[in-house]
Amino acid sequence: MIQKAVILSTGDEITTGRIVDTNSNYIADKLAEVGIEVVAVLTVGDVPERLEWAWKTAMAMADVVISTGGIGPTADDLTNETVGRITGRKLVRDQESVDHMKRIFASINRIMPENNLKQADLPETSEVIRNPLGTAPGFQIAVPQADGHICHLVVMPGVPREMKPMMEDSVIPWLRKNRGSDTIYAVRVFQTFGISESGLDEAVAGLIKPEEARVAFRAAFPQISLRVTVEGKPGVAERKLEELSERVRGRIANFVYAEGNASMEEVVAQLLTERKIKLAVAESCTGGLIGHRLTNVPGSSKFFIGDFVTYSNELKTGILGVREETLKQHGAVSEQCVLEMAAGARERAGADLAIATSGVAGPDGGTAEHPVGTVCVGLVGSNGIQAARRYQLRGNRDWIKILTGQVALDWLRRYALGLPIGESTLFRR
């Protein structure tokens, strides 16, 4: 019966701060969905004695230890041999994993280095977790402990794009099967934008009683998610979750842009594609970020025509047709300018819809009239809709650019749904 877990992240790149450990957050989130308590998250560098200490400590605390990292081909990848040593199991080469590695290298016309073979050396009695996207297989092994309980060790790569499919396709189904309870956890996540975390908490206060479900908030800039988790018998839990979700929708529908894990750009892409709306973008302060986010979505060519990155005033006038008079009278960071940018982009691209941004992202360039964080967003549609707003954002340069892009994408979402544009006053000046 698996009820408690420890997450173990390994690698000098994490302990030295060269990369951020996003794996642990992701795994903890997934474990919560299946009702497994995370009792600790351990992070340790590529030092044999420290790795051994971390594994032994984790095994003493949990029914399952889920590890990421340390199973690559280099000398500092020590997870497999560490697990073999502390469990008293010799490493055995898995031929199917070797064949998979060779196919990957052959597909890119490269000779496989011999050191890749060590990735296929797994502790004997391991159950292999196949890695369709990389060369390093994962594995799961059951280890009896001195106190009589069985601790399961789950080892996966540290590369998120490889680890996540393995977690979702193999590990999560296995955990559900072995959790030792006939109850399930039904989960609904509401992705919101345009309301603060405290405002969201206040908006749903008293809506759901503690005995009905767990309600949790997570601020993951630039959006805030609200998670509702119901525990119960199959069928009953899902029905209760839907009832509670209806309550939530009735209270915060104006701020919910998605249910589940969809990003704002994915939602916008789906809406514009379904409605056959062709989009052009004109960007100044965001420097192509909006176009980048939209074209990250597969199939974006169905709705996305192009992106005019007109950073200078000369390009705003020369390419988009912004009038010199507008720039002299109102400036580049103005509602008048972004409207003309959007209109020019729509006309030149032959689009149904265009959106434009201009602002002061900082850290320099601010004035008394236009302090750092002042941004304007404008939208022009072929149906005659025009909208422009001025916002005062806070944060560093990256934050201001990301938040401006999120505001613009939310405008596109609202346009496609026929909702009021720029309704939120959270960032309005």
Side-chain angles (χ1 to χ4, degrees), residues 193-314:
F193 180 69
I195 186 171
S196 66
E197 185 175 11
S198 58
L200 186 60
D201 181 40
E202 187 177 74
V204 299
L207 193 64
I208 298 174
K209 297 177 182 178
E211 60 268 23
E212 292 181 303
R214 293 201 308 271
V215 177
F217 304 88
R218 182 183 179 189
F221 182 80
Q223 68 269 358
I224 298 169
S225 64
L226 182 152
R227 177 192 296 273
V228 180
T229 305
V230 176
E231 180 181 6
K233 301 294 185 183
V236 176
E238 291 92 342
R239 287 193 296 271
K240 185 63 176 178
L241 177 63
E242 190 53 47
E243 175 193 329
L244 298 178
S245 296
E246 279 299 315
R247 293 187 207 170
V248 173
R249 295 184 192 109
R251 190 72 66 86
I252 62 168
N254 287 343
F255 303 104
V256 175
Y257 71 81
E259 295 183 20
N261 294 316
S263 66
M264 183 73 84
E265 52 265 37
E266 289 172 331
V267 172
V268 170
Q270 181 179 350
L271 289 171
L272 296 183
T273 300
E274 290 174 350
R275 287 156 175 76
K276 296 181 171 56
I277 298 172
K278 299 295 185 180
L279 173 71
V281 180
E283 302 187 60
S284 185
C285 64
T286 44
L289 179 61
I290 298 169
H292 170 71
R293 290 177 63 176
L294 288 170
T295 54
N296 268 345
V297 181
S300 56
S301 60
K302 295 176 182 177
F303 69 89
F304 189 79
I305 297 179
D307 191 350
F308 300 88
V309 182
T310 54
Y311 213 67
S312 69
N313 286 351
E314 289 76 15

Side-chain angles (χ1 to χ4, degrees), residues 100-426:
H100 173 68
M101 293 179 201
K102 290 180 177 179
R103 286 193 296 270
I104 288 179
F105 277 90
S107 69
I108 56 176
N109 295 315
R110 288 178 55 190
I111 297 174
M112 186 179 78
E114 284 297 312
N115 62 356
N116 274 95
L117 291 173
K118 69 171 285 192
Q119 296 178 293
D121 294 338
L122 311 178
E124 58 184 348
T125 74
S126 295
E127 180 181 337
V128 179
I129 303 173
R130 299 300 171 190
N131 179 359
L133 299 179
T135 57
F139 64 88
Q140 185 269 126
I141 187 170
V143 183
Q145 299 299 292
D147 62 2
H149 89 278
I150 301 293
C151 183
H152 299 270
L153 312 186
V154 175
V155 173
M156 292 183 291
V159 181
R161 68 179 292 271
E162 297 178 18
M163 179 273 293
K164 289 181 179 181
M166 296 167 72
M167 184 74 182
E168 294 183 12
D169 297 339
S170 300
V171 179
I172 290 297
W174 174 79
L175 288 171
R176 288 185 188 277
K177 182 179 178 181
N178 291 277
R179 196 169 63 86
S181 172
D182 60 352
T183 62
I184 66 167
Y185 286 79
V187 179
R188 184 72 48 81
V189 178
F190 297 87
Q191 303 291 354
T192 73
F193 180 69
I195 186 171
S196 66
E197 185 175 11
S198 58
L200 186 60
D201 181 40
E202 187 177 74
V204 299
L207 193 64
I208 298 174
K209 297 177 182 178
E211 60 268 23
E212 292 181 303
R214 293 201 308 271
V215 177
F217 304 88
R218 182 183 179 189
F221 182 80
Q223 68 269 358
I224 298 169
S225 64
L226 182 152
R227 177 192 296 273
V228 180
T229 305
V230 176
E231 180 181 6
K233 301 294 185 183
V236 176
E238 291 92 342
R239 287 193 296 271
K240 185 63 176 178
L241 177 63
E242 190 53 47
E243 175 193 329
L244 298 178
S245 296
E246 279 299 315
R247 293 187 207 170
V248 173
R249 295 184 192 109
R251 190 72 66 86
I252 62 168
N254 287 343
F255 303 104
V256 175
Y257 71 81
E259 295 183 20
N261 294 316
S263 66
M264 183 73 84
E265 52 265 37
E266 289 172 331
V267 172
V268 170
Q270 181 179 350
L271 289 171
L272 296 183
T273 300
E274 290 174 350
R275 287 156 175 76
K276 296 181 171 56
I277 298 172
K278 299 295 185 180
L279 173 71
V281 180
E283 302 187 60
S284 185
C285 64
T286 44
L289 179 61
I290 298 169
H292 170 71
R293 290 177 63 176
L294 288 170
T295 54
N296 268 345
V297 181
S300 56
S301 60
K302 295 176 182 177
F303 69 89
F304 189 79
I305 297 179
D307 191 350
F308 300 88
V309 182
T310 54
Y311 213 67
S312 69
N313 286 351
E314 289 76 15
L315 288 184
K316 289 181 177 69
T317 57
I319 293 179
L320 296 178
V322 175
R323 296 177 302 159
E324 293 278 3
E325 179 184 349
T326 298
L327 294 174
K328 289 178 181 178
Q329 186 174 350
H330 303 285
V333 184
S334 65
E335 293 161 297
Q336 293 81 0
C337 178
V338 290
L339 275 177
E340 292 186 20
M341 288 172 66
R346 192 184 76 80
E347 180 183 346
R348 283 152 179 76
D352 304 307
L353 175 67
I355 196 158
T357 62
S358 185
V360 185
D364 302 319
T367 65
E369 184 180 0
H370 298 101
V372 170
T374 303
V375 299
C376 292
V377 179
L379 178 146
V380 174
S382 58
N383 58 0
I385 289 182
Q386 293 190 1
R389 301 284 188 275
R390 181 177 177 178
Y391 295 90
Q392 186 60 54
L393 309 180
R394 288 177 173 79
N396 61 27
R397 185 178 181 85
D398 285 343
W399 278 47
I400 290 169
K401 290 176 65 176
I402 292 170
L403 191 50
T404 303
Q406 190 80 346
V407 169
L409 289 171
D410 191 45
W411 277 37
L412 296 174
R413 179 186 71 88
R414 290 175 175 276
Y415 175 90
L417 291 171
L419 299 174
I421 303 296
E423 185 177 68
S424 170
T425 60
L426 184 60

